[in-house]
Amino acid sequence: MSVVFVASSLLPTPFAVFTMHGFSDEQSGVEHVALTLGNVTDGSPVLGRIHSECLTGDALFSLRCDCGFQLEAAMKAIAKEGRGVLLYLRQEGRGIGLLNKIRAYALQDKGADTVEANLQLGFPADMRNYDMCLPMLAYLGIKAIKLMTNNPKKITALKELGIAVVEREPIEFGKNRYNQNYLATKANKMGHLLGLQHQQEIPDTTNH
């Protein structure tokens, strides 16, 4: 893996003053970021989240997904713990990129779910990989993580890389009338470990 550390700086946020670490994948040119808080190098498991970029949810307050809500909840949880790590991976749209994500949204506006939209565009349901997590966590001195996720595939991917996932912390936030079917698709088609309230599709009566 060609992911290398570039630089660190302080990042004041409403929740805590994190240290931000920049990494570059020299092969692809893609840049990733890690936020840390407290001493994460003492060998004990670290509360953490692996979060893939979602411009619409993280920065533009979209209600079509739960990404922005999960990002904020993870940062708050780490701040409350006083110690933790957040890896922010540049894998927009489950790996298909921003413009293809907008194309997928257009198909969803016509009735496709998130999986169907990706398949109609010629992509797998989820193109993300987590190989970059290993060199990032290794640089940060983190060997074991208490992972905030609802996605069992993410846990499996990290374990296959040799990262010890010692605990799963559910992170269910942001359900609203615009993303109910999105969450149901996550649970029913992608195997996400969501509560029963997300397991049933609810007809979308909103105007797009």
XYZ file of all heavy atoms in Angstrom, residues 29-125:
720
model
N -3.114 9.142 -5.884
C -3.223 10.575 -5.668
C -4.335 10.970 -4.714
O -4.531 12.150 -4.437
N -5.071 9.992 -4.189
C -6.177 10.274 -3.271
C -5.618 10.610 -1.889
O -4.665 9.987 -1.414
C -7.138 9.067 -3.183
C -8.250 9.338 -2.185
C -7.730 8.769 -4.557
N -6.236 11.612 -1.255
C -5.801 12.065 0.061
C -6.824 11.654 1.123
O -8.033 11.743 0.887
C -5.626 13.585 0.053
C -4.565 14.040 -0.946
C -4.637 15.518 -1.297
O -5.699 16.149 -1.036
O -3.641 16.039 -1.840
N -6.346 11.227 2.266
C -7.206 10.820 3.372
C -6.781 11.567 4.632
O -5.670 12.094 4.717
C -7.112 9.313 3.614
C -7.381 8.476 2.407
N -8.639 8.301 1.890
C -6.530 7.762 1.599
C -8.576 7.514 0.825
N -7.314 7.171 0.638
N -7.675 11.597 5.617
C -7.421 12.329 6.856
C -7.767 11.447 8.049
O -8.726 10.671 8.002
C -8.272 13.626 6.894
C -8.314 14.220 8.298
C -7.719 14.653 5.920
N -6.991 11.586 9.108
C -7.322 10.972 10.392
C -7.402 12.063 11.446
O -6.569 12.978 11.461
C -6.275 9.937 10.782
N -8.404 11.966 12.307
C -8.496 12.837 13.470
C -8.239 11.998 14.710
O -8.810 10.911 14.859
C -9.889 13.465 13.585
C -10.406 14.300 12.418
C -11.770 14.888 12.754
C -9.424 15.398 12.041
N -7.384 12.482 15.595
C -7.144 11.781 16.854
C -7.375 12.738 18.013
O -7.262 13.956 17.881
C -5.713 11.217 16.944
O -4.763 12.287 16.826
C -5.467 10.181 15.864
N -7.698 12.134 19.157
C -7.886 12.891 20.397
C -7.308 12.073 21.538
O -7.594 10.873 21.649
C -9.374 13.165 20.633
C -9.714 14.028 21.849
C -9.216 15.457 21.654
C -11.221 14.032 22.103
N -6.514 12.703 22.372
C -5.934 12.013 23.514
C -4.791 11.089 23.112
O -4.336 11.087 21.965
N -4.357 10.277 24.054
C -3.261 9.344 23.817
C -3.802 8.050 23.222
O -4.461 7.271 23.909
C -2.536 9.047 25.136
C -1.384 8.079 24.951
O -0.979 7.775 23.827
N -0.842 7.580 26.058
N -3.532 7.839 21.935
C -4.038 6.635 21.260
C -2.940 5.597 21.064
O -3.165 4.566 20.405
C -4.669 7.005 19.888
C -5.877 7.899 20.082
C -3.653 7.670 18.960
N -1.779 5.827 21.636
C -0.633 4.943 21.388
C -0.261 4.080 22.583
O 0.802 3.465 22.593
C 0.594 5.776 20.976
O 0.973 6.621 22.072
C 0.299 6.631 19.759
N -1.155 4.010 23.584
C -0.792 3.269 24.805
C -1.103 1.781 24.724
O -0.910 1.043 25.693
C -1.477 3.885 26.023
C -3.002 3.827 25.949
O -3.526 3.246 24.968
O -3.662 4.372 26.850
N -1.612 1.324 23.565
C -1.850 -0.103 23.382
C -3.246 -0.572 23.702
O -3.649 -1.662 23.277
N -4.007 0.207 24.454
C -5.375 -0.206 24.766
C -6.305 0.158 23.617
O -6.032 1.084 22.854
C -5.835 0.439 26.072
O -5.815 1.842 25.959
N -7.429 -0.573 23.458
C -8.338 -0.331 22.326
C -8.831 1.118 22.294
O -9.103 1.728 23.331
C -9.495 -1.305 22.579
C -8.884 -2.397 23.394
C -7.869 -1.727 24.276
N -8.935 1.638 21.090
C -9.286 3.041 20.871
C -10.686 3.123 20.263
O -11.000 2.404 19.306
C -8.260 3.694 19.916
C -8.672 5.124 19.584
C -6.869 3.670 20.532
N -11.538 3.984 20.813
C -12.843 4.235 20.205
C -12.628 4.893 18.855
O -11.900 5.886 18.745
C -13.677 5.146 21.109
C -15.075 5.508 20.587
C -15.974 4.271 20.522
C -15.713 6.587 21.467
N -13.251 4.352 17.804
C -12.979 4.908 16.480
C -14.093 4.713 15.486
O -15.024 3.930 15.696
N -13.990 5.465 14.410
C -14.919 5.338 13.286
C -14.121 5.407 11.999
O -13.203 6.215 11.859
C -15.975 6.432 13.310
C -16.790 6.476 12.003
C -18.240 6.798 12.201
N -18.961 6.860 10.932
C -19.596 5.841 10.359
N -19.593 4.652 10.949
N -20.228 5.974 9.222
N -14.503 4.552 11.048
C -13.991 4.616 9.678
C -15.110 5.217 8.846
O -16.145 4.577 8.629
C -13.621 3.210 9.151
C -12.765 2.432 10.160
C -12.947 3.315 7.803
C -11.440 3.038 10.473
N -14.936 6.446 8.384
C -16.023 7.182 7.730
C -15.628 7.515 6.300
O -14.612 8.171 6.067
C -16.304 8.469 8.512
C -17.539 9.191 8.066
N -18.780 8.978 8.641
C -17.725 10.115 7.092
C -19.683 9.756 8.040
N -19.059 10.456 7.103
N -16.427 7.052 5.343
C -16.178 7.376 3.949
C -16.831 8.699 3.584
O -17.963 8.982 3.987
C -16.712 6.263 3.034
O -15.992 5.069 3.230
N -16.108 9.479 2.816
C -16.555 10.826 2.439
C -17.959 10.828 1.844
O -18.307 9.989 1.011
C -15.585 11.402 1.414
C -15.933 12.794 0.938
C -14.942 13.296 -0.092
O -14.469 12.490 -0.917
O -14.628 14.496 -0.065
N -18.757 11.801 2.279
C -20.086 12.021 1.707
C -20.297 13.536 1.679
O -20.754 14.118 2.662
C -21.163 11.337 2.553
S -22.855 11.689 1.980
N -19.931 14.166 0.587
C -20.037 15.619 0.498
C -21.456 16.092 0.780
O -21.668 17.047 1.533
C -19.606 16.101 -0.890
C -19.767 17.604 -1.117
C -18.746 18.386 -0.314
C -19.666 17.956 -2.595
N -22.434 15.400 0.210
C -23.818 15.842 0.361
C -24.284 15.756 1.802
O -24.956 16.657 2.308
C -24.746 15.019 -0.553
O -24.452 13.624 -0.359
C -24.544 15.390 -2.008
N -23.923 14.681 2.489
C -24.355 14.515 3.873
C -23.465 15.214 4.880
O -23.943 15.849 5.814
N -22.137 15.132 4.675
C -21.194 15.667 5.650
C -21.111 17.188 5.603
O -20.919 17.835 6.627
C -19.788 15.102 5.406
C -19.721 13.592 5.548
O -20.629 13.013 6.175
O -18.753 12.998 5.033
N -21.223 17.767 4.389
C -21.000 19.209 4.236
C -22.241 19.986 3.806
O -22.351 21.169 4.100
C -19.884 19.457 3.221
N -23.157 19.317 3.094
C -24.317 20.028 2.539
C -25.619 19.687 3.258
O -26.692 20.052 2.790
C -24.442 19.722 1.038
C -23.227 20.133 0.195
C -23.432 19.738 -1.273
C -22.962 21.627 0.305
N -25.529 18.958 4.374
C -26.667 18.705 5.273
C -27.786 17.899 4.613
O -28.956 18.049 4.959
C -27.230 20.025 5.825
C -26.177 20.939 6.364
C -25.801 22.073 5.667
C -25.531 20.641 7.565
C -24.810 22.908 6.153
C -24.539 21.482 8.054
C -24.176 22.619 7.348
N -27.437 17.028 3.665
C -28.447 16.213 2.988
C -29.165 15.306 3.984
O -28.554 14.723 4.878
C -27.796 15.347 1.914
O -28.720 14.407 1.398
N -30.464 15.174 3.767
C -31.286 14.249 4.552
C -31.525 12.938 3.806
O -32.262 12.085 4.296
C -32.628 14.902 4.890
C -32.555 16.162 5.758
C -33.961 16.729 5.974
C -31.878 15.893 7.088
N -30.910 12.759 2.641
C -31.104 11.536 1.864
C -30.369 10.356 2.477
O -30.644 9.204 2.126
C -30.622 11.730 0.423
C -31.356 12.797 -0.358
C -30.897 12.832 -1.822
N -31.380 11.670 -2.538
C -31.955 11.731 -3.753
N -32.127 12.900 -4.360
N -32.353 10.637 -4.348
N -29.404 10.624 3.346
C -28.606 9.560 3.955
C -28.454 9.867 5.437
O -29.011 10.834 5.945
C -27.245 9.452 3.269
S -26.240 10.950 3.436
N -27.676 9.044 6.123
C -27.411 9.283 7.541
C -25.950 9.625 7.800
O -25.506 9.682 8.946
C -27.825 8.060 8.380
C -27.138 6.773 7.930
O -26.523 6.757 6.846
O -27.242 5.762 8.654
N -25.198 9.897 6.732
C -23.742 10.049 6.849
C -23.331 11.225 7.723
O -22.487 11.086 8.614
C -23.123 10.187 5.460
S -23.503 8.822 4.342
N -23.900 12.395 7.457
C -23.539 13.561 8.245
C -23.877 13.395 9.709
O -23.118 13.808 10.593
N -25.014 12.765 9.972
C -25.424 12.518 11.363
C -24.445 11.574 12.055
O -24.095 11.754 13.228
C -26.833 11.924 11.398
C -27.881 12.814 10.802
C -28.337 12.611 9.513
C -28.421 13.866 11.534
C -29.309 13.427 8.954
C -29.396 14.683 10.993
C -29.844 14.469 9.694
N -23.997 10.542 11.322
C -23.042 9.596 11.898
C -21.696 10.257 12.156
O -21.055 9.996 13.182
C -22.865 8.399 10.967
C -24.073 7.483 10.901
C -23.824 6.291 9.992
O -23.190 6.415 8.943
N -24.311 5.139 10.389
N -21.254 11.107 11.228
C -19.975 11.802 11.403
C -20.001 12.668 12.660
O -19.086 12.614 13.490
C -19.687 12.661 10.175
C -18.413 13.499 10.224
C -17.177 12.624 10.367
C -18.307 14.383 8.978
N -21.061 13.447 12.821
C -21.176 14.313 13.994
C -21.265 13.487 15.279
O -20.607 13.813 16.281
C -22.402 15.213 13.874
C -22.576 16.155 15.047
C -23.727 17.125 14.873
O -24.181 17.338 13.726
O -24.182 17.675 15.897
N -22.051 12.413 15.239
C -22.197 11.567 16.427
C -20.864 10.934 16.814
O -20.532 10.826 18.012
C -23.245 10.483 16.173
N -20.086 10.507 15.816
C -18.789 9.890 16.101
C -17.835 10.894 16.732
O -17.123 10.576 17.697
C -18.192 9.315 14.824
N -17.796 12.106 16.201
C -16.906 13.126 16.758
C -17.314 13.485 18.187
O -16.464 13.665 19.057
C -16.891 14.356 15.852
C -16.243 14.092 14.498
S -16.271 15.515 13.376
C -15.071 16.584 14.150
N -18.623 13.561 18.431
C -19.110 13.846 19.780
C -18.746 12.710 20.744
O -18.356 12.956 21.897
C -20.624 14.043 19.767
C -21.077 15.376 19.195
C -22.600 15.475 19.232
C -23.079 16.840 18.747
N -24.569 16.914 18.733
N -18.888 11.475 20.274
C -18.582 10.318 21.136
C -17.105 10.286 21.498
O -16.736 9.999 22.643
C -18.991 9.023 20.435
N -16.242 10.577 20.517
C -14.800 10.604 20.780
C -14.472 11.733 21.755
O -13.666 11.570 22.672
C -14.023 10.748 19.459
C -14.163 9.457 18.625
C -12.550 11.044 19.722
C -13.661 9.583 17.201
N -15.112 12.885 21.555
C -14.878 14.013 22.460
C -15.306 13.665 23.883
O -14.609 13.983 24.857
C -15.634 15.238 21.958
N -16.449 13.000 24.010
C -16.931 12.601 25.335
C -15.983 11.605 25.999
O -15.724 11.676 27.207
C -18.338 11.999 25.218
C -18.963 11.625 26.549
C -20.376 11.095 26.369
C -20.998 10.717 27.712
N -22.376 10.181 27.539
N -15.461 10.676 25.193
C -14.513 9.675 25.690
C -13.185 10.319 26.066
O -12.446 9.811 26.919
C -14.300 8.605 24.612
C -13.416 7.456 25.007
C -14.209 6.240 25.452
O -15.428 6.352 25.672
O -13.594 5.178 25.585
N -12.862 11.427 25.369
C -11.580 12.089 25.593
C -10.422 11.423 24.882
O -9.258 11.805 25.055
N -10.748 10.452 24.035
C -9.707 9.652 23.380
C -10.336 8.900 22.230
O -11.378 8.270 22.389
C -9.121 8.667 24.392
C -8.067 7.714 23.864
C -7.510 6.892 25.026
N -6.522 5.939 24.586
C -6.808 4.690 24.218
N -8.072 4.255 24.258
N -5.853 3.874 23.824
N -9.716 8.957 21.063
C -10.280 8.209 19.941
C -9.674 8.609 18.616
O -8.790 9.470 18.535
N -10.193 7.958 17.570
C -9.690 8.197 16.221
C -10.838 8.143 15.220
O -11.767 7.351 15.370
C -8.608 7.147 15.838
C -9.189 5.728 15.830
C -7.990 7.471 14.482
N -10.779 9.017 14.232
C -11.717 8.985 13.111
C -10.914 9.017 11.820
O -10.136 9.954 11.592
C -12.686 10.169 13.171
C -13.801 10.155 12.111
C -15.105 10.690 12.689
C -13.418 10.960 10.875
N -11.051 7.976 11.012
C -10.430 7.967 9.685
C -11.451 8.446 8.677
O -12.539 7.866 8.566
C -9.948 6.561 9.303
C -8.918 5.881 10.212
C -8.377 4.633 9.529
C -7.794 6.813 10.604
N -11.126 9.519 7.963
C -12.028 10.087 6.957
C -11.456 9.725 5.589
O -10.443 10.272 5.150
C -12.142 11.595 7.120
C -13.280 12.205 6.336
C -14.560 12.281 6.884
C -13.085 12.692 5.056
C -15.610 12.834 6.172
C -14.133 13.244 4.333
C -15.393 13.316 4.899
O -16.441 13.856 4.182
N -12.114 8.764 4.933
C -11.607 8.193 3.684
C -12.311 8.819 2.490
O -13.534 8.945 2.474
C -11.820 6.674 3.680
C -11.307 5.923 4.918
C -11.589 4.433 4.770
C -9.818 6.182 5.144
N -11.544 9.169 1.482
C -12.101 9.859 0.315
C -12.673 8.833 -0.673
O -12.108 8.564 -1.728
C -11.012 10.707 -0.352
C -10.291 11.638 0.602
C -11.182 12.721 1.170
N -11.717 13.590 0.147
C -11.028 14.591 -0.425
N -9.785 14.832 -0.080
N -11.595 15.347 -1.361
N -13.818 8.283 -0.311
C -14.488 7.254 -1.123
C -15.940 7.674 -1.341
O -16.864 7.015 -0.874
C -14.427 5.899 -0.431
C -13.018 5.433 -0.127
C -12.963 3.977 0.290
O -12.631 3.099 -0.504
N -13.272 3.710 1.537
N -16.109 8.798 -2.009
C -17.436 9.380 -2.214
C -18.382 8.396 -2.908
O -17.995 7.672 -3.825
C -17.301 10.642 -3.075
C -18.580 11.371 -3.352
C -19.155 12.074 -2.137
O -18.436 12.885 -1.516
O -20.324 11.806 -1.811
N -19.629 8.386 -2.445
C -20.661 7.584 -3.122
C -20.379 6.097 -3.095
O -20.609 5.408 -4.085
N -19.870 5.598 -1.949
C -19.460 4.180 -1.842
C -18.454 3.814 -2.928
O -18.424 2.702 -3.435
C -20.673 3.242 -1.895
C -21.592 3.363 -0.688
C -22.726 2.361 -0.710
N -23.646 2.619 0.415
C -24.946 2.428 0.355
N -25.508 1.960 -0.739
N -25.709 2.682 1.400
N -17.651 4.807 -3.306
C -16.544 4.556 -4.224
C -16.793 4.926 -5.674
O -15.876 4.826 -6.489
N -18.006 5.392 -6.028
C -18.290 5.672 -7.447
C -18.005 7.126 -7.816
O -18.040 7.482 -8.996
C -19.741 5.310 -7.838
C -20.754 6.226 -7.141
C -20.022 3.840 -7.530
C -22.197 5.973 -7.605
N -17.737 7.973 -6.834
C -17.421 9.363 -7.116
C -18.651 10.262 -7.055
O -19.796 9.805 -7.150
N -18.405 11.559 -6.946
C -19.485 12.511 -6.706
C -20.457 12.613 -7.878
O -21.679 12.583 -7.693
C -18.900 13.890 -6.390
C -19.915 14.999 -6.129
C -20.829 14.659 -4.955
C -19.200 16.324 -5.892
N -19.950 12.738 -9.094
C -20.856 12.931 -10.227
C -21.684 11.682 -10.492
O -22.883 11.777 -10.807
C -20.072 13.348 -11.470
C -19.354 14.698 -11.357
C -18.680 15.058 -12.674
C -20.320 15.805 -10.947
N -21.064 10.516 -10.365
C -21.848 9.284 -10.513
C -22.851 9.132 -9.370
O -23.934 8.568 -9.560
C -20.924 8.066 -10.573
C -20.270 7.915 -11.928
O -20.901 8.169 -12.961
N -19.017 7.522 -11.946
N -22.511 9.641 -8.206
C -23.460 9.631 -7.102
C -24.688 10.475 -7.441
O -25.826 10.091 -7.144
C -22.776 10.153 -5.839
C -23.665 10.261 -4.615
C -22.840 10.806 -3.452
C -23.668 11.042 -2.225
N -22.849 11.545 -1.108
N -24.466 11.623 -8.066
C -25.603 12.463 -8.477
C -26.434 11.740 -9.531
O -27.671 11.796 -9.512
C -25.104 13.830 -8.986
C -24.411 14.596 -7.845
C -26.271 14.658 -9.533
C -23.720 15.876 -8.293
N -25.773 11.034 -10.441
C -26.508 10.219 -11.419
C -27.331 9.147 -10.706
O -28.478 8.872 -11.099
C -25.531 9.576 -12.403
C -24.816 10.561 -13.325
C -23.981 9.827 -14.370
N -23.348 10.759 -15.283
C -22.050 11.122 -15.220
N -21.273 10.592 -14.284
N -21.549 11.989 -16.085
N -26.746 8.544 -9.682
C -27.475 7.537 -8.920
C -28.665 8.163 -8.194
O -29.750 7.573 -8.131
C -26.540 6.852 -7.913
N -28.491 9.354 -7.673
C -29.599 10.060 -7.031
C -30.742 10.282 -8.023
O -31.922 10.153 -7.670
C -29.130 11.417 -6.502
C -28.463 11.392 -5.148
C -27.853 12.548 -4.656
C -28.441 10.254 -4.349
C -27.245 12.560 -3.408
C -27.841 10.255 -3.107
C -27.232 11.420 -2.641
O -26.643 11.427 -1.407
N -30.394 10.630 -9.261
C -31.438 10.849 -10.276
C -32.241 9.580 -10.513
O -33.476 9.629 -10.682
C -30.797 11.334 -11.574
N -31.568 8.424 -10.517
C -32.270 7.151 -10.675
C -33.122 6.851 -9.437
O -34.229 6.310 -9.550
C -31.263 6.025 -10.908
C -30.497 6.087 -12.237
C -29.403 5.025 -12.276
C -31.453 5.896 -13.414
N -32.623 7.236 -8.268
C -33.410 7.040 -7.053
C -34.655 7.925 -7.057
O -35.711 7.532 -6.563
C -32.535 7.330 -5.828
C -31.426 6.307 -5.613
C -30.400 6.780 -4.605
O -30.740 7.404 -3.604
N -29.135 6.506 -4.874
N -34.537 9.113 -7.626
C -35.702 9.990 -7.739
C -36.805 9.347 -8.565
O -37.987 9.667 -8.401
C -35.303 11.314 -8.383
C -34.447 12.190 -7.485
O -34.428 11.932 -6.257
O -33.797 13.117 -8.001
N -36.414 8.412 -9.449
C -37.390 7.730 -10.308
C -37.833 6.391 -9.737
O -38.561 5.643 -10.397
C -36.787 7.526 -11.697
C -36.479 8.831 -12.423
C -35.766 8.580 -13.743
C -35.411 9.899 -14.436
N -34.632 9.663 -15.682
N -37.356 6.065 -8.505
C -37.866 4.864 -7.852
C -36.861 3.792 -7.522
O -37.187 2.835 -6.813
N -35.623 3.888 -8.029
C -34.607 2.882 -7.710
C -34.121 3.071 -6.282
O -34.130 4.187 -5.756
C -33.429 2.988 -8.674
N -33.714 1.974 -5.638
C -33.053 2.143 -4.349
C -31.554 2.331 -4.581
O -31.087 2.329 -5.726
C -33.360 0.978 -3.399
C -32.822 -0.372 -3.880
O -31.761 -0.406 -4.539
O -33.458 -1.405 -3.571
N -30.782 2.493 -3.511
C -29.365 2.813 -3.681
C -28.590 1.685 -4.361
O -27.695 1.937 -5.169
C -28.722 3.124 -2.317
O -29.027 2.079 -1.393
C -29.236 4.433 -1.760
N -28.922 0.455 -4.061
C -28.252 -0.674 -4.695
C -28.628 -0.754 -6.167
O -27.762 -0.880 -7.050
C -28.607 -1.989 -3.974
C -28.117 -3.197 -4.771
C -28.013 -2.005 -2.567
N -29.909 -0.665 -6.462
C -30.372 -0.741 -7.851
C -29.778 0.374 -8.698
O -29.403 0.154 -9.859
C -31.903 -0.672 -7.888
C -32.592 -1.885 -7.280
C -34.070 -1.644 -6.980
O -34.512 -0.481 -7.020
O -34.767 -2.640 -6.703
N -29.675 1.575 -8.126
C -29.141 2.708 -8.880
C -27.675 2.462 -9.264
O -27.277 2.702 -10.411
C -29.270 3.986 -8.057
N -26.884 1.978 -8.326
C -25.487 1.686 -8.649
C -25.379 0.626 -9.731
O -24.580 0.742 -10.671
C -24.739 1.215 -7.394
C -24.161 2.361 -6.595
O -24.672 3.478 -6.634
N -23.087 2.088 -5.858
N -26.183 -0.422 -9.612
C -26.141 -1.508 -10.593
C -26.566 -1.016 -11.973
O -25.974 -1.394 -12.995
C -27.028 -2.668 -10.138
C -26.596 -3.370 -8.848
C -27.603 -4.450 -8.454
C -25.202 -3.973 -8.994
N -27.572 -0.154 -12.027
C -28.029 0.393 -13.309
C -26.952 1.243 -13.977
O -26.890 1.330 -15.202
C -29.309 1.214 -13.110
C -30.540 0.371 -12.823
C -31.767 1.214 -12.541
O -31.933 2.302 -13.092
N -32.637 0.724 -11.664
N -26.090 1.847 -13.170
C -24.986 2.648 -13.710
C -23.767 1.797 -14.049
O -22.763 2.310 -14.547
C -24.585 3.728 -12.700
C -25.593 4.865 -12.493
C -25.153 5.757 -11.338
C -25.761 5.688 -13.770
N -23.847 0.499 -13.774
C -22.746 -0.396 -14.109
C -21.717 -0.573 -13.007
O -20.611 -1.075 -13.251
N -22.075 -0.189 -11.790
C -21.157 -0.313 -10.651
C -21.661 -1.377 -9.684
O -22.858 -1.644 -9.621
C -21.051 1.013 -9.893
C -20.502 2.150 -10.702
C -21.336 3.192 -11.098
C -19.173 2.187 -11.069
C -20.847 4.251 -11.842
C -18.665 3.243 -11.811
C -19.507 4.272 -12.197
N -20.759 -1.950 -8.879
C -21.206 -2.795 -7.765
C -21.981 -1.952 -6.757
O -21.906 -0.718 -6.767
C -19.899 -3.310 -7.159
C -18.852 -3.090 -8.205
C -19.295 -1.884 -8.981
N -22.704 -2.623 -5.882
C -23.461 -1.903 -4.852
C -22.545 -1.095 -3.949
O -22.906 -0.010 -3.484
C -24.282 -2.889 -4.027
